[in-house]
Amino acid sequence: MPSYTITVATGSQWFAGTDDYIYLSLVGSAGCSEKHLLDKPFYNDFERGAVDSYDVTVDEELGDIQLIKIEKRKYWIHDDWYLKYVTLKTPYGDYIEFPCYRWITGEGEIILRDGRAKLARDDQIHILKQHRRKELETRQKQYRWMEWNPGFPLSIDAKYHKDLPRDIQFDSEKGVDFVLNYSKAMENLFINSFMHMFQSSWNDFADFEKIFVKISNTISERVMNHWQEDLMFGYQFLNGCNPVLIQRCTKLPEKLPVTTEMVECSLERQLTLEQEVEQGNIFIVDFELLDGIDANKTDPCTLQFLAAPICLLYKNLANKMVPIAIQLNQVPGDENPIFLPSDAKYDWLLAKIWVRSSDFHVHQTITHLLRTHLVSEVFGIAMYRQLPAVHPIFKLLVAHVRFTIAINTKAREQLICEYGLFDKANATGGGGHVQMVQRAMQDLTYASLCFPEAIKARGMDSTEDIPYYFYRDDGLLVWEAIKTFTADVVGIYYESDQVVVEDQELQDFVKDIYVYGMRGKKTSGFPKSIKTKEKLSEYLTVVIFTASAQHAAVNFGQYDWCSWIPNAPPTMRAPPPTAKGVVTIEQIVDTLPDRGRSCWHLGAVWALSQFQENELFLGMYPEEHFIEKPVREAMARFRKNLDAVVSVIAERNKNKKLPYYYLSPDRIPNSVAI
């Protein structure tokens, strides 16, 4: 009688093992086997991290094995089981791999196909077509779209983390409990004693050091020592937490009536301001998005304020960016003066602090939350709804949406919800952040997620002209490495553009993103369908780059750049100044966040800047969804290209007082998971 050797691998994460009864059935082209209990006498099967083998004898010839069915039945109490993969050795000595990498819960069962990636057109056998269809039908019931707030990209229909499908939950919910993590952060930073001191102002700038953790030679300490300098202020628009706003100014806006006379002491080329604009030396950051956004009113004891500044920057003879004019609101007028470096010291400093605070709000809510977290969640939900596990694009993307839906669900549960942690310390809490996302959806376009296009659209693409823009330089290297990899994978499975067009599952995936993620807005520029291999490769690069590199660039520097509170105030407790010559140091300190809000802010940026335990970085694919040699070779080339990028960045950073490392691939997690 034919005998098969079955090898079963259990996951190594916490609580992955099971004591339940596990049964296996084989489905072949010539027949199906009986249900076999996988059990060895006097042996604890399916322990966490174990690889167990069993001999299974069947009554008759089964032909080619097409599917295997795994069933879990209760032994004592229900425990979930994480099955990594099953390997089958046939009576003829052939090995067949069945990747799983999923949880089996309750009295559950799972039907697996072998690991070769297949498009729908490759499946001619009825049982395989049926398996494919049923998997998507089940997933579409589990992964439902929901509108969390009007105008937002749609998100997963789950109120709490525990309501999510088990496969996309965190291994341990405790690890992503924001309340717990922020409190733990405050303990680690020794700032618990201040965290409840709301309404209590600091005495002076030096007083902020009481909650500032000094770690020798870090960027954060350098920020503390140099934050008041114009060079440090300008540098952050290129290589800080939010390096996506600065753009070349091609025409001075009418709403900023700045003249050559006002700024001539800042200009170094003996040219008028208009000539400097023509020569491409003037840059602008406009926070128009914040105009009219409601400030946080959740604490009746503390008034909080927002501004919508316009900041003009100049590329000096050393090719460094320095601010030369700041107007704190959008409409010019006597009570909205243009602040200048030639003004009194504290006038100019407070104007810069207002810009830094505004930059913090746009960074947190738009650059970070909307344009990495929420967008990546859309990609993840659409993938689970429209691509079966056997589809090559599912196998390619699944590592890049790992835990994204879970972290966003947790954020909606604890962080950005009404009365959530975001309301505690941020001037855009209490609903302002929601208004911001609704507005920013107008600018969320496909082109703006294509890294090279986004850089070019802001006039920031010339390395000769703007030599110290490391975010751009490193981002382009990573983008190209990802694009080469996706093109390799697309080339393996799609022999022509026609195959792309005819892949209905792929087209449904793209359409889901357009209709539900982008809310069917034509102006978003998101494609409704994809017609060429080249466009598919670009689209997949957008998905992977957004989830990995873009998120890393705007997330993991938060403690570096925002922990010195005056450099990134999460709220301001007095309105912007309406006249010059009246600002004092005392006024600035009373405007900055109080002790309690400072501590909540510090806990937040510390917690958000930490990597996950067992983090998987770009190019690491420990879950072997792909089993074919050509794809594994493409992955090896990808890792080699990423290693080369790591070396280039490490060499550039040598002896730099302010190294830029957020886009070094060995520091880029595969997915948005924090």
Side-chain angles (χ1 to χ4, degrees), residues 344-596:
K345 177 184 175 180
Y346 292 127
D347 281 359
W348 180 235
L349 182 60
L350 182 56
K352 288 192 293 180
I353 291 172
W354 268 106
V355 171
R356 294 294 315 133
S357 183
S358 303
D359 191 64
F360 175 80
H361 296 309
V362 172
H363 165 260
Q364 281 296 16
T365 305
I366 308 308
T367 308
H368 183 210
L369 173 65
L370 172 61
R371 297 179 68 89
T372 63
H373 277 259
L374 300 184
V375 167
S376 287
E377 180 176 4
V378 165
F379 296 148
I381 299 169
M383 183 200 78
Y384 280 111
R385 285 175 56 81
Q386 304 298 351
L387 299 175
V390 72
H391 198 290
I393 305 304
F394 178 92
K395 289 172 181 275
L396 174 67
L397 296 184
V398 67
H400 300 289
V401 297
R402 177 176 177 257
F403 299 146
T404 301
I405 300 171
I407 194 75
N408 287 1
T409 303
K410 205 72 189 155
R412 285 187 286 270
E413 196 182 318
Q414 294 184 321
L415 195 62
I416 55 175
C417 53
E418 202 172 355
Y419 310 118
L421 291 174
F422 201 80
D423 290 358
K424 276 193 182 292
N426 291 290
T428 51
H433 59 305
V434 172
Q435 295 169 359
M436 287 173 71
V437 170
Q438 289 163 336
R439 274 190 197 179
M441 278 295 286
Q442 309 307 316
D443 301 316
L444 179 57
T445 62
Y446 178 74
S448 72
L449 296 178
C450 291
F451 190 80
E453 282 187 50
I455 295 287
K456 206 166 188 173
R458 292 188 285 112
M460 301 295 292
D461 46 319
S462 171
T463 49
E464 202 179 318
D465 231 13
I466 311 160
Y468 301 112
Y469 196 15
F470 308 128
Y471 163 73
R472 170 204 59 207
D473 301 342
D474 300 356
L476 288 170
L477 293 175
V478 176
W479 173 273
E480 281 308 315
I482 295 171
K483 193 150 187 260
T484 302
F485 174 51
T486 59
D488 279 355
V489 175
V490 167
I492 292 166
Y493 294 102
Y494 296 88
E495 67 239 30
S496 68
D497 292 344
Q498 191 58 31
V499 180
V500 173
V501 172
E502 290 170 1
D503 182 356
Q504 196 52 51
E505 290 166 341
L506 169 69
Q507 302 301 340
D508 289 344
F509 163 68
V510 171
K511 190 178 175 184
D512 241 30
I513 290 167
Y514 173 73
V515 171
Y516 299 107
M518 298 308 124
R519 312 303 299 268
K521 285 198 184 91
K522 272 188 182 172
T523 50
S524 73
F526 266 76
K528 295 182 204 173
S529 61
I530 289 184
K531 296 185 169 63
T532 66
K533 289 165 65 175
E534 193 181 341
K535 267 292 168 200
L536 174 56
S537 169
E538 180 188 78
Y539 196 91
L540 297 171
T541 305
V542 166
V543 175
I544 295 171
F545 186 89
T546 302
S548 56
Q550 188 58 28
H551 179 256
V554 303
N555 182 71
F556 293 103
Q558 290 187 78
Y559 188 77
D560 287 349
W561 296 101
C562 304
S563 56
W564 180 247
I565 309 287
N567 189 56
T571 190
M572 299 287 263
R573 294 180 297 145
T578 55
K580 294 188 182 189
V582 291
V583 178
T584 62
I585 177 76
E586 293 75 23
Q587 209 181 321
I588 294 180
V589 173
D590 285 342
T591 299
L592 287 167
D594 56 42
R595 292 166 191 251

Side-chain angles (χ1 to χ4, degrees), residues 259-397:
T259 64
T260 301
E261 292 69 45
M262 288 179 179
V263 296
E264 64 187 341
C265 62
S266 299
L267 307 180
E268 298 179 353
R269 293 177 176 87
Q270 275 75 53
L271 300 171
T272 65
L273 182 57
E274 286 72 16
Q275 288 169 327
E276 293 280 17
V277 169
E278 278 169 33
Q279 292 212 357
N281 298 323
I282 303 294
F283 296 79
I284 192 165
V285 181
D286 188 350
F287 295 94
E288 186 177 15
L289 182 89
L290 288 165
D291 192 27
I293 296 291
D294 293 332
N296 192 340
K297 295 182 179 67
T298 56
D299 179 357
C301 303
T302 306
L303 286 173
Q304 299 181 59
F305 297 90
L306 293 166
I310 308 166
C311 178
L312 215 58
L313 295 119
Y314 177 61
K315 187 187 70 172
N316 65 18
L317 287 171
N319 285 322
K320 302 285 173 72
M321 292 289 174
V322 288
I324 57 170
I326 294 169
Q327 183 177 285
L328 293 180
N329 278 303
Q330 294 286 308
V331 181
D334 294 343
E335 295 202 339
N336 187 19
I338 296 174
F339 291 94
L340 307 163
S342 52
D343 289 342
K345 177 184 175 180
Y346 292 127
D347 281 359
W348 180 235
L349 182 60
L350 182 56
K352 288 192 293 180
I353 291 172
W354 268 106
V355 171
R356 294 294 315 133
S357 183
S358 303
D359 191 64
F360 175 80
H361 296 309
V362 172
H363 165 260
Q364 281 296 16
T365 305
I366 308 308
T367 308
H368 183 210
L369 173 65
L370 172 61
R371 297 179 68 89
T372 63
H373 277 259
L374 300 184
V375 167
S376 287
E377 180 176 4
V378 165
F379 296 148
I381 299 169
M383 183 200 78
Y384 280 111
R385 285 175 56 81
Q386 304 298 351
L387 299 175
V390 72
H391 198 290
I393 305 304
F394 178 92
K395 289 172 181 275
L396 174 67
L397 296 184

